Amino acid sequence: MTWSEMQPLLEQACTETMVMVGWSTLIAVVGGLPLGILLVLTDKGGLLQNTLVNKVIGQIVNIGRSLPFIILMVALMDFTRWITGTTIGSEAAIVPLAIGGIPFFARLVETAVREVDHGLVEAVQAMGGNTWTIVRKVLVPEALPSLIASTTTTVIALIGYSAMAGTVGGGGLGDLAVRYGYQRFETGLMWITVAILAVVISLIQFAGDYAARALHRRGGRSGPSPRLRLLKTKEPAAAGIDKVA
C-alpha cells in the first residue's frame, strides 16, 4: 500500500480517535469530578460524613474500574444501541469509553483532593464557610495541578481504550490497525498507527505535565492559599469596624 492510499485512511482514523477520546474525556471529567469529591466529603471525618453513601459510591466506582474494557463494551451493547442507535462506529464507542472513564477519573480525583491541606479547610470553616464554599474555594483550586495531571492520565488511558474499541468495530486508529495491519497483512500501515499513537501520547503527556507545573507555580499549593485570600477580603470590613469604634 502506497502513502497516497494510506493518507486518507490515517486522516479519517485520527479524526475518529480524537472525537472518541475528546467526548469521552469531557463526559468522564464532568461525571468523575463530583464523584471523586463526594468520596472525600462523605468519608469518615469528611464534611458530609455518611458511611452508607460513601460505601455505595465507592462500590460503584470499584465495579466500574474492575471490569476489563473489552468486557464493558460487550456488556453495554444494548445500552449503547439505545443511546446511539448502533453498536458500531466511533459514536457508539463514546458510550463505553465515557462510562469506563468516569470511575477511573473519580479515583484519581479522590486521591488529588485528599492531598489538600486540611488546615485550610478548618480555616475556612472557622470563618463561616459552608461545604460548597470549601469545595469551590479550597478543595478544587488547591488540587488543580493534581487534577490536571489526573486528566492527562485519563486521556492517555482512554486513547488505549479507544484502540481496543477498534477491535470490535469502534473505528479510529485501533480499527485501522486491525483491519489493515492484521487482517490484510499491511505491516507498514500498522507500524505507522503505532508511531502516531506513541507521538500523540507523548505530546499529551508533555502538555499535561507542563500545565500542571505552570499551575503549581502560579497558584495551586505554592501560591497564595484560599485561606489568605479569604482573610484579605475580610480585612477592609474589620478595618471599618475598628475605625467606627
Side-chain angles (χ1 to χ4, degrees):
M1 182 179 288
T2 64
W3 173 249
S4 60
E5 294 173 323
M6 292 181 188
Q7 187 175 359
L9 295 173
L10 289 169
E11 289 176 354
Q12 181 182 357
C14 287
T15 301
E16 291 174 349
T17 296
M18 286 190 292
V19 169
M20 287 190 292
V21 174
W23 278 107
S24 58
T25 299
L26 178 62
I27 297 170
V29 170
V30 171
L33 182 61
L35 275 181
I37 294 174
L38 274 175
L39 283 170
V40 176
L41 295 179
T42 59
D43 199 6
K44 185 177 181 181
L47 298 174
L48 302 174
Q49 181 176 333
N50 190 313
T51 304
L52 178 61
V53 172
N54 184 266
K55 287 185 176 180
V56 170
I57 297 175
Q59 194 62 33
I60 292 172
V61 170
N62 289 338
I63 292 173
R65 291 187 62 198
S66 65
L67 289 175
F69 180 70
I70 194 70
I71 296 176
L72 182 65
M73 283 192 66
V74 175
L76 291 174
M77 277 188 174
D78 290 337
F79 181 70
T80 301
R81 186 181 292 108
W82 180 68
I83 294 291
T84 64
T86 181
T87 58
I88 298 174
S90 56
E91 290 183 2
I94 292 173
V95 176
L97 281 171
I99 293 176
I102 288 173
F104 182 86
F105 185 68
R107 280 300 183 193
L108 296 178
V109 170
E110 180 189 11
T111 301
V113 173
R114 286 191 189 280
E115 293 176 357
V116 175
D117 184 4
H118 192 67
L120 297 176
V121 175
E122 293 177 346
V124 177
Q125 280 182 307
M127 290 183 285
N130 57 22
T131 301
W132 170 242
T133 300
I134 291 171
V135 170
R136 188 167 54 92
K137 295 286 188 178
V138 179
L139 297 182
V140 173
E142 289 295 315
L144 195 54
S146 296
L147 292 176
I148 294 295
S150 300
T151 303
T152 303
T153 302
T154 302
V155 171
I156 292 173
L158 289 175
I159 290 175
Y161 290 168
S162 71
M164 272 189 278
T167 63
V168 291
L173 291 168
D175 179 56
L176 184 66
V178 170
R179 284 192 295 116
Y180 287 87
Y182 178 72
Q183 295 177 351
R184 303 187 186 183
F185 303 102
E186 294 288 348
T187 308
L189 180 59
M190 182 180 68
W191 283 112
I192 289 174
T193 59
V194 171
I196 291 173
L197 287 170
V199 170
V200 168
I201 288 173
S202 298
L203 290 175
I204 291 172
Q205 187 67 61
F206 173 80
D209 291 344
Y210 179 82
R213 286 195 299 268
L215 285 170
H216 192 82
R217 288 193 297 268
R218 281 175 46 188
R221 297 183 178 86
S222 62
S225 71
R227 173 185 173 184
L228 296 179
R229 289 196 293 270
L230 287 172
L231 284 172
K232 287 179 180 178
T233 62
K234 296 283 185 178
E235 285 174 359
I241 293 171
D242 293 340
K243 186 175 181 181
V244 172

